[in-house]
Amino acid sequence: MVNRFNRLTSKEWLPFQKSWFRYESEEKLYVENLRFFCKAEPTEEAVYYQGNHLDLVKELALGQDIQLVDKDSFTSQSLQFALLDLREDVYQLNSIDDYNSYRETVLDIAEKIYNQLIHRRFLCIFIPNIQTADRYYPYAWDLGLQLSSLFSLKDEKIACMPESIDVQDMYFQPPNQTFYALYFRKDENSGGQLVERKHNLFQSHHKDLNVRKFQNKIPSWFILKPAPRKKDEVLHPAKYPEDLVTMFVYEFTEEDANILDPMSGTGSTQVASLKAGRNAYGTELSDFFAEIAQKRCQNLVQPTQADMFLPANKQQFKLINKDARLISVGDFPLIDYLITSPPYWDMLNMKGAENQAKRLEKGLQTNYSESRDDLGNIADYESFISDLVQVYINVLDVMKSGSHLTIVVKNIKKKGRNYPFAWDLADKLMTHLDLLPEVFWCQDDINLAPYGYGNTFVSNTFHQYCLNFRKP
Ligand SMILES: C[S@@+](CC[C@H](N)C(=O)[O-])C[C@H]1O[C@@H](n2cnc3c(N)ncnc32)[C@H](O)[C@@H]1O
């Protein structure tokens, strides 16, 4: 049976659902998007395209029976889809002023698209974030936030291009081999009016970048499959792989550096740091997880019989079972690098959420704790973000000037709405920190679910942001 949204069968529907993809060619990129967001059949409903590949898109549209319209004629047409490819334009912008005036023209066209777009149909925008010689400009996030007042921001996919050669540079500079495909829908929740969204994303503090030389071994995206978890580690519902920590620790620190994770969970950060010859520090609210983390570190520093194969480690570690909001000077020595991952709002309390059913079946704990101090139990989004920001701002008191931070997060979809948690968090932190390029941890080992089948586009979120900052 075919569906109303795009006439694809459920088997054809599925491959588009992953929230990141390997970019192979312009043709494939366009074919997949046109095919997913258009009904491939003769119809009066047109498609608006703007970008540098008009000839290619014309040819593809012809092949799919799609009526393509341009700038001059689309304002009298009903649109089933609109695609703005801003990549080439944005790569060529020379300054933030250039971007601001370019943005005006994009917002203007987006308003016109909104007026013509059929209810519950999509606008897609391809746009990168941009690294200049000494600043990082998250243009994609800005445009996503600005257009959220007009449309409903529904989803994003990360285009992952083949990795280029190592860059040797003073600055942390991943090779920028990704761009964003942002998906907006005109629907019952869209505001229908552009309201400027004020944010700090273009702010910068650094003046004197007297920094160490970076190896720049971190790619702009990578796939990591966590090693199978041991019995006590499985008890924690949301861990990140130690390999991820190792990669960042080598990039951002020297041997013997002091590394901190204010929300340690079962101690992935500390275990990876100790194994890499660094000192490891942390806090964790749950006494249950803090104890597991403590034992894992202890075993590394003074191996028990069972763990004798691990090298005895001369490094220091200290884990404190307490609320990260209460970390104070004196708890730890001055810190060189922080890597951490917070609760993803209260998503673990959402009974239907991915993974929850499976953990319940196995009798495993589905959230971190019932404590009111657990940030994963704050139901209001704004309060959650503001408490979390407080954790990071507070912790800056124990960090060295010029030190770096990596925060692993993702944008969140809850009850049909999209909350750009990663962008919002970066925005709030930029009053205190400098933003460095984000890199993506892409997951490739989870089965896709046909969310939204036949009705609308809802991706499976299989990419996490590793947000990077520097303390001025
Ligand atoms: C995503 S998990 C971290 C997992 C960790 N990276 C690992 O690999 O094991 C977030 C952790 O934050 C802890 N947490 C929540 N609220 C906290 C608070 N106020 N202070 C300290 N830790 C907190 C939770 O108990 C949970 O273990």
Side-chain angles (χ1 to χ4, degrees):
M1 219 187 37
V2 289
N3 76 72
R4 285 179 303 154
F5 185 75
N6 56 14
R7 315 298 189 230
L8 293 175
T9 64
S10 57
K11 207 169 159 197
E12 292 166 323
W13 179 275
L14 211 51
F16 194 77
Q17 306 306 295
K18 197 160 74 178
S19 68
W20 65 276
F21 60 99
R22 289 172 204 272
Y23 169 88
E24 284 165 21
S25 68
E26 290 297 297
E27 181 167 348
K28 188 157 184 279
L29 175 71
Y30 280 117
V31 167
E32 288 180 353
N33 277 277
L34 286 171
R35 187 61 205 93
F36 194 84
F37 289 101
C38 303
K39 299 172 199 163
E41 62 187 19
T43 166
E44 291 299 301
E45 300 169 5
V47 170
Y48 175 69
Y49 169 75
Q50 185 180 315
N52 284 20
H53 298 277
L54 188 58
D55 288 343
L56 172 64
V57 177
K58 265 186 187 157
E59 194 187 314
L60 298 173
L62 206 63
Q64 291 190 24
D65 253 337
I66 291 169
Q67 191 197 149
L68 206 61
V69 282
D70 61 20
K71 255 195 184 124
D72 304 322
S73 59
F74 86 96
T75 46
S76 58
Q77 290 268 350
S78 288
L79 298 179
Q80 59 167 327
F81 182 48
L83 205 168
L84 304 184
D85 185 348
L86 309 182
R87 287 173 296 163
E88 274 82 352
D89 290 351
V90 167
Y91 286 129
Q92 274 165 31
L93 297 172
N94 288 319
S95 67
I96 187 76
D97 292 339
D98 282 1
Y99 171 75
N100 283 334
S101 65
Y102 178 70
R103 185 176 85 173
E104 288 308 305
T105 62
V106 174
L107 295 181
D108 186 53
I109 205 92
E111 264 182 312
K112 294 189 172 117
I113 290 170
Y114 182 86
N115 291 335
Q116 302 310 122
L117 203 62
I118 295 168
H119 186 64
R120 290 177 75 83
R121 304 299 297 187
F122 282 78
L123 159 67
C124 168
I125 300 186
F126 298 152
I127 179 172
N129 284 346
I130 293 291
Q131 168 82 55
T132 64
D134 63 346
R135 290 276 300 271
Y136 189 61
Y137 292 106
Y139 292 147
W141 305 352
D142 169 65
L143 200 64
L145 293 176
Q146 301 306 341
L147 283 174
S148 296
S149 58
L150 183 61
F151 292 89
S152 299
L153 171 66
K154 290 306 288 182
D155 223 320
E156 68 187 15
K157 294 220 302 185
I158 309 301
C160 300
M161 294 179 270
E163 279 301 326
S164 57
I165 40 151
D166 282 0
V167 198
Q168 287 296 329
D169 203 282
M170 284 289 283
Y171 308 110
F172 173 65
Q173 201 164 59
N176 204 8
Q177 293 295 94
T178 57
F179 63 87
Y180 288 75
L182 301 176
Y183 295 95
F184 303 89
R185 194 175 70 176
K186 175 176 175 175
D187 61 27
E188 53 291 352
N189 295 320
S190 29
Q193 255 182 344
L194 276 175
V195 181
E196 194 189 342
R197 164 78 189 261
K198 298 245 185 297
H199 61 66
N200 305 307
L201 290 170
F202 298 149
Q203 198 164 319
S204 168
H205 307 273
H206 66 227
K207 297 289 172 277
D208 173 23
L209 267 180
N210 183 16
V211 290
R212 55 189 283 271
K213 191 159 172 59
F214 278 95
Q215 299 180 51
N216 281 306
K217 293 276 190 258
I218 304 242
S220 38
W221 63 278
F222 54 88
I223 299 170
L224 273 186
K225 192 174 148 75
R229 294 297 185 180
K230 293 195 180 137
K231 214 167 135 208
D232 52 353
E233 297 164 36
V234 159
L235 299 171
H236 193 281
K239 298 170 53 63
Y240 55 34
E242 271 108 46
D243 288 350
L244 182 143
V245 178
T246 309
M247 197 165 95
F248 282 94
V249 158
Y250 282 126
E251 180 70 23
F252 282 115
T253 71
E254 313 284 340
E255 218 165 300
D256 291 328
N258 297 330
I259 295 169
L260 174 70
D261 183 345
M263 297 182 157
S264 305
T266 52
S268 314
T269 301
Q270 288 79 13
V271 167
S273 301
L274 290 171
K275 283 187 181 169
R278 274 71 171 162
N279 303 312
Y281 301 95
T283 50
E284 165 58 45
L285 182 76
S286 146
D287 49 355
F288 180 63
F289 296 138
E291 199 175 320
I292 296 175
Q294 176 76 25
K295 276 195 192 135
R296 293 180 69 204
C297 292
Q298 197 69 49
N299 282 350
L300 273 182
V301 176
Q302 288 168 346
T304 60
Q305 208 60 30
D307 285 310
M308 274 318 239
F309 58 91
L310 291 168
N313 199 312
K314 294 280 179 298
Q315 310 308 128
Q316 306 282 323
F317 77 90
K318 181 177 177 188
L319 275 151
I320 314 180
N321 175 206
K322 78 174 197 183
D323 190 327
R325 288 170 292 190
L326 305 178
I327 290 175
S328 58
V329 177
D331 280 345
F332 307 113
L334 272 180
I335 298 297
D336 297 286
Y337 177 55
L338 176 149
I339 179 164
T340 190
S341 179
Y344 292 174
W345 189 11
D346 64 344
M347 289 309 283
L348 293 181
N349 291 338
M350 298 283 105
K351 293 299 169 222
E354 304 152 57
N355 247 337
Q356 298 300 74
K358 273 191 220 150
R359 289 188 68 89
L360 276 174
E361 247 172 53
K362 292 184 190 157
L364 291 170
Q365 188 168 332
T366 53
N367 65 0
Y368 303 123
S369 69
E370 299 305 324
S371 166
R372 285 177 53 182
D373 296 326
D374 179 340
L375 268 51
N377 290 331
I378 303 178
D380 176 64
Y381 182 65
E382 296 302 330
S383 316
F384 161 69
I385 297 249
S386 112
D387 276 40
L388 184 61
V389 166
Q390 215 37 59
V391 169
Y392 301 131
I393 290 175
N394 177 43
V395 112
L396 290 179
D397 287 348
V398 299
M399 296 195 63
K400 291 183 187 165
S401 174
S403 60
H404 293 89
L405 299 85
T406 299
I407 306 177
V408 180
V409 286
K410 67 178 173 186
N411 285 345
I412 294 172
K413 290 193 283 258
K414 184 176 176 184
K415 297 189 176 156
R417 291 209 181 206
N418 192 329
Y419 297 82
F421 172 38
W423 312 349
D424 288 338
L425 182 62
D427 168 19
K428 299 279 187 308
L429 288 177
M430 284 193 67
T431 46
H432 291 74
L433 297 168
D434 287 323
L435 181 69
L436 303 176
E438 77 282 18
V439 302
F440 293 101
W441 165 27
C442 298
Q443 292 161 292
D444 206 14
D445 55 345
I446 316 174
N447 287 334
L448 287 165
Y451 298 135
Y453 177 67
N455 278 314
T456 194
F457 173 52
V458 187
S459 77
N460 291 238
T461 310
F462 287 174
H463 66 281
Q464 318 237 3
Y465 286 71
C466 303
L467 295 175
N468 298 297
F469 301 93
R470 177 177 176 275
K471 178 177 168 177

